[in-house]
Amino acid sequence: MELKRTETSNIPFSLHDSRIVKIEINNDELIFNLDNVYEYRNGSEEYYPAKMKFKDIDFEECNIIIFDRQIGKGKFAGIRCGIKEFSENYEGAEFEILTETYGGYSTTLEGLIWKDECEPVSGIITIWTMGDVVFEFEKQNY
């Protein structure tokens, strides 16, 4: 028997280079406010702000690993904290998404954390949700 895993998505854009500029928490919903999402169509690039909403969140299983430097630049160390703790203690920080992975009930975002004028550090966000992941944006073509 042979099974082939296929990836199909109705999301028309990439989050690569998007920045999470604000995190909102409402009951069991997690909202990432993104500066831009990037759409590539017909040889052109468009970008526009969006919100990424995670419904029915298990916040005990949502966390972020914050490294003390960028991965790939020698030895590193870091801390792990919950997404709520990160949103409270790192207000004003931006998370630049370099890689996004979706699987089962989890979403993993790897990227860089920018805070003030400091050199960015690497970070990994893991989100566990039994609900939908919903994108909201102003573009009217969809």
Side-chain angles (χ1 to χ4, degrees):
M1 176 195 258
E2 182 179 285
L3 294 174
K4 184 186 277 188
R5 180 173 187 231
T6 59
E7 291 294 322
T8 58
S9 176
N10 63 343
I11 305 299
F13 42 76
S14 169
L15 296 182
H16 180 75
D17 288 337
S18 298
R19 286 193 183 201
I20 300 168
V21 294
K22 183 179 177 187
I23 297 174
E24 298 176 61
I25 297 171
N26 295 324
N27 299 319
D28 67 345
E29 183 177 73
L30 175 65
I31 303 166
F32 289 157
N33 292 274
L34 303 167
D35 67 340
N36 288 305
V37 293
Y38 297 88
E39 179 182 5
Y40 302 96
R41 188 185 302 216
N42 300 326
S44 67
E45 175 186 74
E46 289 187 55
Y47 51 91
Y48 34 88
K51 288 187 179 196
M52 186 177 190
K53 294 183 174 185
F54 297 88
K55 310 268 186 172
D56 197 15
I57 289 292
D58 182 351
F59 281 103
E60 290 183 15
E61 299 298 328
C62 296
N63 59 70
I64 182 165
I65 298 171
I66 305 165
F67 296 94
D68 63 346
R69 62 184 46 126
Q70 290 182 42
I71 295 176
K73 294 194 175 191
K75 293 182 180 181
F76 57 86
I79 62 167
R80 179 180 181 215
C81 65
I83 199 76
K84 286 182 177 181
E85 182 183 347
F86 177 79
S87 69
E88 293 167 0
N89 296 335
Y90 292 85
E91 189 174 342
E94 295 184 359
F95 188 98
E96 179 182 356
I97 300 168
L98 299 178
T99 304
E100 58 189 297
T101 307
Y102 306 94
Y105 299 109
S106 67
T107 299
T108 303
L109 304 172
E110 296 182 35
L112 299 173
I113 301 169
W114 297 82
K115 177 85 169 128
D116 302 323
E117 300 298 320
C118 298
E119 184 77 19
V121 298
S122 291
I124 302 171
I125 297 175
T126 304
I127 301 154
W128 184 264
T129 179
M130 296 293 286
D132 293 328
V133 179
V134 178
F135 286 88
E136 292 182 357
F137 47 91
E138 296 294 322
K139 189 167 179 168
Q140 301 298 318
N141 295 357
Y142 297 103

